[in-house]
Amino acid sequence: MPSFFKPLVATAMLASLALPFAPAEAQWVFVARKALGRIHQMTEGGQPDGRAGYDFATVLLDAHADKIFSTALDLARKNPSVRILMQDPGARRIQIAEGDRTATLNVVPFNDDVSQLMIAGHAGPNEGSTASMVVQAVLRVCKEMGKHCEVSN
């Protein structure tokens, strides 16, 4: 093969490798845009011995992870009914308590513009579910950031 063809062949091979990824990336962006602001929740049922289960809520937001974390931390600090048990800005994690109920909030960046807010709640013995608490916490963060969020069906 003449030497002047080698760069063209190498370029063509690299281009062919990149092509299959473009549609997949476009699909991911489409799915992410559809998921923005949709709060998903899940409950792990209570235990037979009377201990409550765990409640989870998660939402994708079009915001930087540090901004979401600082907003959530600020809301927790301003809320007199909760106490902050732990805060780790590096990991973007907060743990709060209200009575015997606890919740852990974590923010995970997907890129500079999209992050996931996750909250896991746990009630103490013989206490009710924390499901509405974790969803309300997500809604408060959304509202404070001016983001439209709604609970997914």
Side-chain angles (χ1 to χ4, degrees):
M1 176 184 315
S3 61
F4 67 90
F5 280 123
K6 288 181 183 177
L8 292 175
V9 170
T11 302
M13 287 175 56
L14 287 174
S16 69
L17 290 174
L19 287 177
F21 297 109
E25 184 177 323
Q27 289 174 349
W28 183 89
V29 170
F30 176 75
V31 170
R33 293 207 187 285
K34 288 288 191 182
L36 287 174
R38 299 192 56 87
I39 300 170
H40 297 275
Q41 65 182 51
M42 182 177 76
T43 299
E44 179 193 295
Q47 307 299 315
D49 61 1
R51 291 182 294 149
Y54 289 88
D55 298 299
F56 305 92
T58 182
V59 67
L60 284 178
L61 295 174
D62 56 341
H64 194 277
D66 291 335
K67 176 65 176 159
I68 298 169
F69 177 79
S70 65
T71 300
L73 181 59
D74 190 48
L75 286 170
R77 286 179 176 155
K78 291 178 181 177
N79 187 342
S81 64
V82 302
R83 58 190 193 284
I84 299 174
L85 302 175
M86 181 274 298
Q87 58 182 314
D88 183 350
R92 297 180 193 92
R93 184 173 297 139
I94 309 167
Q95 187 174 39
I96 61 171
E98 182 177 8
D100 285 342
R101 296 175 185 201
T102 60
T104 302
L105 177 144
N106 197 33
V107 182
V108 178
F110 285 141
N111 60 37
D112 287 344
D113 301 323
V114 177
S115 303
Q116 184 177 38
L117 169 63
M118 299 178 289
I119 301 179
H122 184 298
N126 301 316
E127 283 200 26
S129 168
T130 58
S132 66
M133 283 179 53
V134 296
V135 170
Q136 290 304 314
V138 170
L139 286 169
R140 280 192 296 277
V141 172
C142 290
K143 182 179 178 183
E144 185 71 18
M145 294 189 68
K147 305 292 182 186
H148 174 76
C149 295
E150 60 187 29
V151 178
S152 181
N153 294 335

